[in-house]
Amino acid sequence: MSLQSPPSSPPKPVPVNRYDRLEWAGAFGDLGTLVPFVIAYLSVMKLDAFGVLFGFGVSMVVCGWVYKTPFPVQPMKAAGAVATTQAAQSAVITSGAVYAAGLVTGLIWLVLGTTGLAERITRWISRPVAQGVVLGLGMAFMWQGARLMANEWLLAGVGLLVVVLLAKSRRVPGIFVLLLLGVAWTAVQQPELLRKLQEVRPELRWPTWAWPSIGWNDIVLGTLFLALPQVPLTLGNAIIGVREENNRLFPDRPVTDRQVAVSTGVMNVFGSAVGGVPMCHGAGGMAGHVAFGARTGGSLVILGGLLLVLAVGFSASVVALFEVMPQAVLGTILFMTGVQLAGGQFDQGRQGHESTVLLVTAGLSMWNVGIGFGVGLLLQVLLLRKTNRV
């Protein structure tokens, strides 16, 4: 009598990226955060558009290819806000300080990721705190989006209606109609911007080495003003938040805090070398891509590829290209991103003080993610652990 081995379970399918119309639509779902920061860096700080776009483009293509989910690459918001406002007011923050901030930020997260410290830290953080950060970001996006939409309420209202009505359409993704609507609005309201586009000509560029332009003064300023203040925000939103959102939406393609920390480090070291700006992953970016149809890393490869084309061929004209899109359209994208992000955080079965921790963390995270994250951790210690001892 022969012994037969038990039938083995079928191998899990290998995740693959798609490049269909929904992935193309989802590729544009994060423009609401990307475009304003890029324009600020280029117009206020006068950074070389090539380095900024090239850093984002390469990072997006690699992340889409590696993670196989709409794993976003975004500007670090606190660093970007401080850099552009300080540059406008006092000219203290230079391009070298921005490159130094990216380098220092990259080294910090490479150390935290490769040593496992990032993962150990996040083990102490409860689910209500993590969800509170994401919920607060979602509400903040809705608020920021509504403020931008108020500038041109008629366009925003029509755009929002289009997106909602076409939310389930696989044939005509709503964001394509929204972007076309925005261009048509600009053609009517600001025809001079479209005339600028007629003057756009290809101009080939290649990467240059940015590190030689960094001085010791740049390292000090970039570390103290840009890199260090961003660390708690990155931990809350761009490590814990994006891991929470990715694993909720794509349980078949999970990520770990170690992976996210390491990729944050790698892309910032690379970006600083080619003249890019501090970058991070973010739960809001993933929600934006998903809200408009993305389900694989193909959306990131598409967007990154388009940015690389702009960098290599049209970096001298990129500000004019981005300004064609009205703020109300960017606001509509932000608003729908916030709806997607906040809507996934209302699960059932909370016990004891968990709802209090969630709501306090969310409310403060609308204002400042770092403060919301810190207060949420404090409440976790004071309330949740006390409940567990009763």
Side-chain angles (χ1 to χ4, degrees):
M1 180 177 179
S2 61
L3 296 177
Q4 294 183 350
S5 58
S8 59
S9 58
K12 294 182 179 180
V14 178
V16 295
N17 286 335
R18 299 198 311 265
Y19 301 94
D20 54 26
R21 64 167 67 93
L22 288 179
E23 294 298 320
W24 273 86
F28 299 101
D30 198 25
L31 292 185
T33 52
L34 178 67
V35 171
F37 276 97
V38 170
I39 290 178
Y41 273 119
L42 302 187
S43 59
V44 177
M45 297 206 65
K46 309 300 182 186
L47 294 188
D48 185 354
F50 176 88
V52 176
L53 297 176
F54 192 78
F56 277 116
V58 171
S59 298
M60 289 178 182
V61 169
V62 172
C63 285
W65 179 72
V66 169
Y67 287 115
K68 299 295 191 295
T69 69
F71 212 79
V73 176
Q74 299 179 302
M76 284 189 169
K77 298 174 184 61
V82 171
T84 53
T85 54
Q86 288 294 318
Q89 294 170 7
S90 60
V92 171
I93 304 297
T94 63
S95 58
V98 174
Y99 306 148
L103 176 60
V104 172
T105 296
L107 294 176
I108 288 172
W109 288 106
L110 275 177
V111 170
L112 291 175
T114 55
T115 61
L117 281 174
E119 207 154 34
R120 289 177 201 163
I121 292 170
T122 58
R123 285 178 190 158
W124 292 90
I125 298 162
S126 68
R127 185 171 174 79
V129 173
Q131 287 188 309
V133 168
V134 178
L135 176 59
L137 284 167
M139 293 189 296
F141 276 24
M142 293 172 69
W143 173 246
Q144 293 167 8
R147 291 177 62 186
L148 291 175
M149 292 163 69
N151 294 327
E152 294 158 335
W153 62 267
L154 180 59
L155 171 62
V158 174
L160 191 61
L161 182 63
V162 165
V163 171
V164 171
L165 291 178
L166 295 177
K168 302 293 185 181
S169 174
R170 298 183 64 86
R171 296 184 115 189
V172 185
I175 197 166
F176 290 155
V177 180
L178 180 62
L179 295 176
L180 289 174
L181 185 64
V183 173
W185 181 274
T186 299
V188 173
Q189 299 293 324
Q190 296 177 287
E192 67 277 5
L193 290 180
L194 290 186
R195 283 195 289 270
K196 282 185 183 179
L197 295 184
Q198 297 175 0
E199 303 171 4
V200 171
R201 297 291 183 273
E203 181 182 332
L204 291 181
R205 296 278 307 277
W206 301 108
T208 56
W209 197 244
W211 283 347
S213 66
I214 301 175
W216 285 110
N217 188 56
D218 294 323
I219 293 176
V220 172
L221 290 174
T223 301
L224 295 180
F225 283 86
L226 305 180
L228 292 181
Q230 180 72 49
V231 170
L233 280 74
T234 301
L235 180 62
N237 172 37
I239 304 295
I240 298 170
V242 76
R243 180 256 299 157
E244 179 83 12
E245 192 70 0
N246 182 90
N247 295 353
R248 180 182 72 84
L249 293 169
F250 307 105
D252 58 320
R253 288 160 279 170
V255 299
T256 65
D257 295 317
R258 182 194 291 258
Q259 289 174 307
V260 181
V262 169
S263 66
T264 300
V266 169
M267 69 185 185
N268 274 290
V269 171
F270 167 76
S272 69
V274 298
V277 301
M279 296 175 285
C280 65
H281 306 297
M286 174 163 283
H289 292 304
V290 170
F292 289 96
R295 295 297 182 270
T296 76
S299 59
L300 266 294
V301 176
I302 291 167
L303 181 58
L306 292 175
L307 293 181
L308 288 176
V309 170
L310 289 178
V312 173
F314 301 94
S315 55
S317 309
V318 72
V319 173
L321 290 170
F322 283 164
E323 284 181 342
V324 169
M325 199 54 54
Q327 283 195 332
V329 169
L330 298 177
T332 304
I333 296 173
L334 263 183
F335 187 86
M336 293 305 298
T337 297
V339 171
Q340 168 72 29
L341 193 58
Q345 310 312 313
F346 295 102
D347 54 9
Q348 302 296 318
R350 300 194 189 280
Q351 299 176 354
H353 297 288
E354 290 183 344
S355 295
T356 301
V357 174
L358 172 80
L359 293 174
V360 171
T361 303
L364 292 175
S365 294
M366 288 183 64
W367 166 49
N368 184 293
V369 172
I371 292 175
F373 181 58
V375 172
L377 288 178
L378 181 61
L379 280 177
Q380 169 188 311
V381 173
L382 295 177
L383 299 179
L384 296 185
R385 292 189 178 179
K386 179 179 178 182
T387 301
N388 291 336
R389 288 199 299 267
V390 174

